[in-house]
Coordinates of all heavy atoms in Angstrom, one line a residue:
T15 N 61.2 88.8 -72.5 CA 60.9 89.4 -73.8 C 59.4 89.3 -74.1 O 58.9 88.2 -74.1 CB 61.7 88.6 -74.9 OG1 63.1 88.8 -74.7 CG2 61.4 89.1 -76.3
T16 N 58.8 90.4 -74.3 CA 57.4 90.5 -74.6 C 57.2 90.5 -76.1 O 57.9 91.2 -76.8 CB 56.8 91.7 -74.0 OG1 56.9 91.7 -72.6 CG2 55.3 91.8 -74.3
I17 N 56.2 89.7 -76.6 CA 55.9 89.6 -78.0 C 54.6 90.3 -78.2 O 53.5 89.7 -77.8 CB 55.9 88.2 -78.5 CG1 57.3 87.5 -78.1 CG2 55.7 88.1 -80.0 CD1 57.3 86.0 -78.3
E18 N 54.5 91.4 -78.9 CA 53.3 92.1 -79.2 C 52.8 91.7 -80.6 O 53.6 91.8 -81.5 CB 53.5 93.6 -79.1 CG 53.9 94.1 -77.7 CD 54.2 95.6 -77.6 OE1 54.1 96.2 -78.7 OE2 54.5 96.1 -76.6
I19 N 51.6 91.2 -80.6 CA 51.1 90.6 -81.9 C 50.0 91.5 -82.4 O 49.0 91.8 -81.8 CB 50.5 89.2 -81.7 CG1 51.7 88.3 -81.2 CG2 50.0 88.6 -83.0 CD1 51.3 86.9 -80.9
T20 N 50.2 92.1 -83.6 CA 49.2 93.0 -84.2 C 48.2 92.2 -85.0 O 48.5 91.3 -85.8 CB 50.0 93.9 -85.2 OG1 51.0 94.6 -84.5 CG2 49.0 94.9 -85.8
P21 N 46.9 92.4 -84.7 CA 45.9 91.7 -85.5 C 45.9 92.0 -87.0 O 46.1 93.1 -87.4 CB 44.6 92.1 -84.8 CG 44.9 93.5 -84.2 CD 46.3 93.4 -83.8
V22 N 45.6 91.0 -87.7 CA 45.5 91.1 -89.2 C 44.2 90.4 -89.6 O 44.0 89.3 -89.3 CB 46.7 90.5 -89.9 CG1 46.5 90.6 -91.4 CG2 48.0 91.2 -89.5
A23 N 43.4 91.1 -90.4 CA 42.1 90.6 -90.9 C 42.4 89.5 -91.8 O 43.2 89.6 -92.8 CB 41.3 91.7 -91.5
D24 N 41.8 88.3 -91.6 CA 42.0 87.2 -92.5 C 41.3 87.5 -93.9 O 40.4 88.2 -94.0 CB 41.3 85.9 -92.0 CG 42.0 85.4 -90.7 OD1 43.2 85.7 -90.6 OD2 41.3 84.8 -89.9
T25 N 42.0 87.0 -94.9 CA 41.4 87.1 -96.3 C 40.0 86.5 -96.3 O 39.9 85.3 -96.0 CB 42.3 86.5 -97.3 OG1 43.6 87.0 -97.3 CG2 41.7 86.6 -98.7
P26 N 39.0 87.2 -96.6 CA 37.6 86.6 -96.6 C 37.4 85.6 -97.7 O 38.0 85.6 -98.8 CB 36.7 87.9 -96.9 CG 37.6 88.8 -97.6 CD 39.0 88.6 -97.1
D27 N 36.6 84.6 -97.3 CA 36.3 83.5 -98.3 C 34.8 83.8 -98.8 O 33.9 84.0 -98.0 CB 36.3 82.2 -97.6 CG 37.8 81.8 -97.2 OD1 38.7 82.2 -98.0 OD2 37.9 81.1 -96.2
A28 N 34.7 83.7 -100.1 CA 33.4 83.8 -100.7 C 33.4 83.1 -102.0 O 34.5 82.9 -102.6 CB 33.0 85.2 -100.9
S29 N 32.3 82.6 -102.5 CA 32.3 81.9 -103.8 C 31.0 82.3 -104.5 O 30.0 82.5 -103.9 CB 32.4 80.4 -103.6 OG 31.3 79.9 -102.9
I30 N 31.1 82.3 -105.8 CA 30.0 82.5 -106.6 C 30.2 81.6 -107.9 O 31.2 81.6 -108.5 CB 29.8 84.0 -107.0 CG1 28.6 84.1 -108.0 CG2 31.0 84.6 -107.6 CD1 28.2 85.5 -108.3
N31 N 29.2 80.9 -108.2 CA 29.2 80.0 -109.3 C 28.2 80.5 -110.4 O 27.0 80.5 -110.2 CB 28.9 78.6 -108.9 CG 28.9 77.6 -110.1 OD1 29.5 77.9 -111.1 ND2 28.2 76.5 -109.9
V32 N 28.8 80.9 -111.5 CA 27.9 81.4 -112.6 C 27.9 80.4 -113.7 O 29.0 80.1 -114.3 CB 28.4 82.8 -113.1 CG1 27.5 83.3 -114.3 CG2 28.4 83.8 -112.0
T33 N 26.8 79.9 -114.1 CA 26.7 78.8 -115.1 C 25.9 79.4 -116.3 O 24.8 79.9 -116.1 CB 25.9 77.6 -114.5 OG1 26.7 77.1 -113.3 CG2 25.9 76.5 -115.5
K34 N 26.4 79.2 -117.4 CA 25.7 79.6 -118.7 C 25.2 78.3 -119.3 O 25.9 77.5 -119.7 CB 26.6 80.4 -119.6 CG 25.9 80.7 -121.0 CD 24.8 81.7 -120.7 CE 24.2 82.2 -122.1 NZ 23.4 81.2 -122.7
V35 N 23.9 78.2 -119.4 CA 23.2 77.0 -120.0 C 22.7 77.4 -121.3 O 21.8 78.3 -121.4 CB 22.1 76.4 -119.1 CG1 21.5 75.2 -119.7 CG2 22.7 76.1 -117.7
V36 N 23.1 76.8 -122.4 CA 22.7 77.3 -123.7 C 21.3 76.9 -124.0 O 20.5 77.6 -124.5 CB 23.6 76.7 -124.8 CG1 23.2 77.1 -126.2 CG2 25.1 77.1 -124.6
E37 N 20.9 75.7 -123.6 CA 19.6 75.2 -123.9 C 19.0 74.6 -122.6 O 19.7 74.2 -121.7 CB 19.5 74.1 -125.0 CG 19.9 74.7 -126.3 CD 19.9 73.6 -127.4 OE1 19.6 72.4 -127.0 OE2 20.1 73.9 -128.6
G38 N 17.7 74.6 -122.5 CA 17.1 73.9 -121.4 C 16.7 74.9 -120.3 O 17.0 76.1 -120.4
T39 N 16.0 74.4 -119.3 CA 15.6 75.3 -118.2 C 16.1 74.7 -116.9 O 16.8 73.6 -116.9 CB 14.1 75.4 -118.1 OG1 13.6 74.1 -118.0 CG2 13.6 76.0 -119.4
A40 N 15.8 75.3 -115.8 CA 16.3 74.8 -114.5 C 15.6 73.5 -114.1 O 14.6 73.1 -114.7 CB 16.0 75.8 -113.4
D41 N 16.1 72.8 -113.2 CA 15.6 71.5 -112.8 C 14.1 71.7 -112.3 O 13.9 72.4 -111.4 CB 16.4 71.0 -111.6 CG 16.0 69.6 -111.2 OD1 15.0 69.1 -111.7 OD2 16.8 69.0 -110.3
S42 N 13.2 71.0 -112.9 CA 11.8 71.1 -112.6 C 11.5 70.6 -111.2 O 10.4 70.8 -110.7 CB 11.0 70.4 -113.7 OG 11.3 69.0 -113.7
N43 N 12.4 69.8 -110.6 CA 12.1 69.3 -109.3 C 12.3 70.3 -108.2 O 12.0 70.0 -107.0 CB 13.0 68.0 -109.0 CG 12.7 66.9 -110.0 OD1 11.5 66.7 -110.3 ND2 13.7 66.1 -110.4
N44 N 13.0 71.4 -108.5 CA 13.2 72.4 -107.5 C 11.9 73.1 -107.1 O 11.0 73.4 -107.9 CB 14.2 73.5 -108.0 CG 15.6 73.0 -107.9 OD1 16.0 72.1 -107.1 ND2 16.4 73.5 -108.8
D45 N 11.8 73.4 -105.8 CA 10.6 74.2 -105.3 C 11.1 75.6 -105.2 O 11.9 75.9 -104.3 CB 10.2 73.7 -103.9 CG 9.6 72.3 -104.0 OD1 8.9 72.0 -105.1 OD2 9.8 71.5 -103.1

């Protein structure tokens, strides 16, 4: 018995983090 397996594209992983800061600025230590 032969088992033929059809390829399926994996669900892509991605992330995006959106931050709303009401006051202040970015960390001054960043270059």
Side-chain angles (χ1 to χ4, degrees):
T15 294
T16 300
I17 306 167
E18 299 176 357
I19 301 178
T20 302
V22 176
D24 294 332
T25 302
D27 293 325
S29 65
I30 176 172
N31 179 21
V32 179
T33 304
K34 177 68 174 74
V35 181
V36 177
E37 294 181 355
T39 59
D41 186 353
S42 60
N43 293 325
N44 283 332
D45 294 325

